[in-house]
């Protein structure tokens, strides 16, 4: 069956450390994968998109990797800050499905000062 | 640029009533997607529309739910004869087709 899974356990880290979140998928052939941030009571906010032919993408303190052999994406936040505390969602877009997104359940990140 | 506008933010309906959720996409975006988020669950795709066309409604329940995106005006998600299980947050997203999606703040539907 098709699945997209993120670490279900909340991630607690110390300010200044690097947070690494994992997204694994099975039985999908994604054209691209996206990462979003969601705060309580708000809609998801787009962070980064990585295409299937890209290995890595960076934006400020954020880095995403995409390994289509392992069927995994890693999302890193370097020099984390308490303001980075939120739920992070990965979402993939399968080929030939009009750009609709299949979301993981999200990983809650808590950065302690 | 006001982003994706959804209204109302909160909607309370009694069982059996109709719920209408509105979404105005970002200026210049012609693709609209509706997602539902149940408590403690992830976002689930419902329907993808372009102006006057439903492109993919594979995530929509077959009964009671409908969506439209008319030539003029916002996209509407309509739920007839609501039941308690319809209580959820409904999010609309728009895109230009090239990059990430812009989501609205959602409509929180409560069925009492």
């Amino acid at each position: 069956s098709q699945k997209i899974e993120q670490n279900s356990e909340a991630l607690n880290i110390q300010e200044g450390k690097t947070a690494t979140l994992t997204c694994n998928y099975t039985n999908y052939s994604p054209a691209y994968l996206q990462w979003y941030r969601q705060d309580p009571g708000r809609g998801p906010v787009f962070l980064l998109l990585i295409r299937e032919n890209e290995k890595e993408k960076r934006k400020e303190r954020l880095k995403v990797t995409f390994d289509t052999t392992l069927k995994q994406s890693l999302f890193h936040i370097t020099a984390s800050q308490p303001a980075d505390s939120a739920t992070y969602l990965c979402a993939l877009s399968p080929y030939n499905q009009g750009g609709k997104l299949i979301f993981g359940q999200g990983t809650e990140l808590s950065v302690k000062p | 640029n006001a982003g994706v506008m959804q209204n109302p933010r909160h909607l309370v309906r009694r069982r059996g009533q109709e719920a209408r959720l509105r979404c105005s996409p970002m200026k210049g975006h012609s693709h609209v997607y509706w997602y539902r988020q149940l408590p403690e669950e992830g976002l689930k795709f419902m329907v993808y529309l372009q102006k006057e066309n439903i492109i993919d409604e594979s995530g929509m329940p077959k009964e009671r739910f409908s969506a439209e995106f008319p030539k003029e005006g916002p996209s509407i998600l309509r739920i007839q004869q609501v039941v308690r299980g319809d209580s959820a947050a409904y999010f609309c997203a728009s895109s230009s087709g090239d990059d990430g999606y812009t989501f609205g703040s959602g409509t929180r539907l409560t069925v009492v």
Side-chain angles (χ1 to χ4, degrees):
Chain A
S1 63
Q2 294 177 316
K3 280 187 201 173
I4 176 167
E5 291 179 321
Q6 297 184 245
N7 340 31
S8 54
E9 300 280 327
L11 184 61
N12 298 302
I13 64 167
Q14 206 65 36
E15 183 176 7
K17 300 290 186 191
T18 295
T20 298
L21 285 68
T22 306
C23 178
N24 295 297
Y25 60 92
T26 54
N27 294 325
Y28 280 113
S29 294
Y32 52 81
L33 195 143
Q34 303 184 24
W35 284 87
Y36 288 80
R37 169 188 173 136
Q38 188 174 25
D39 291 282
R42 309 294 297 270
V45 174
F46 171 70
L47 297 174
L48 279 169
L49 178 152
I50 187 164
R51 299 184 193 282
E52 55 140 4
N53 60 348
E54 297 174 315
K55 294 277 188 235
E56 183 179 297
K57 207 89 171 269
R58 289 176 187 259
K59 180 182 171 184
E60 298 170 358
R61 293 184 296 111
L62 309 180
K63 184 176 90 170
V64 172
T65 62
F66 193 11
D67 188 327
T68 53
T69 302
L70 288 179
K71 298 187 184 300
Q72 180 181 79
S73 175
L74 298 178
F75 177 78
H76 306 272
I77 307 174
T78 58
S80 58
Q81 304 164 1
D84 295 327
S85 299
T87 296
Y88 290 85
L89 307 171
C90 76
L92 57 81
S93 178
Y95 271 110
N96 301 322
Q97 292 200 31
K100 81 181 188 192
L101 295 177
I102 313 297
F103 279 88
Q105 287 198 263
T107 298
E108 188 179 341
L109 173 67
S110 178
V111 181
K112 304 286 186 215
Chain B
N1 190 341
V4 175
M5 303 300 293
Q6 287 190 249
N7 66 82
R9 286 295 306 274
H10 300 275
L11 182 60
V12 179
R13 284 287 177 265
R14 294 188 185 281
R15 279 179 294 169
Q17 290 185 318
E18 178 179 286
R20 277 186 185 235
L21 288 62
R22 293 175 189 76
C23 169
S24 296
M26 278 188 70
K27 192 174 179 181
H29 285 187
S30 58
H31 304 252
V32 167
Y33 302 81
W34 285 92
Y35 289 81
R36 177 164 65 175
Q37 189 169 38
L38 292 165
E40 308 304 323
E41 290 191 20
L43 284 150
K44 302 290 185 200
F45 168 79
M46 297 182 76
V47 62
Y48 163 35
L49 308 108
Q50 292 182 17
K51 282 285 186 184
E52 300 185 278
N53 285 307
I54 296 175
I55 308 300
D56 180 353
E57 55 182 349
S58 58
M60 286 266 275
K62 294 283 182 279
E63 297 177 353
R64 303 188 297 108
F65 285 72
S66 62
E68 62 176 8
F69 189 15
K71 191 176 177 182
E72 303 289 338
S75 176
I76 307 282
L77 179 68
R78 184 178 172 214
I79 311 172
Q80 295 177 289
Q81 299 173 317
V82 295
V83 300
R84 288 230 171 95
D86 297 333
S87 295
Y90 291 82
F91 291 98
C92 167
S94 73
S95 83
S96 60
D98 288 337
D99 211 329
Y101 296 6
T102 303
F103 279 82
S105 294
T107 293
R108 274 139 195 90
L109 172 65
T110 302
V111 179
V112 297

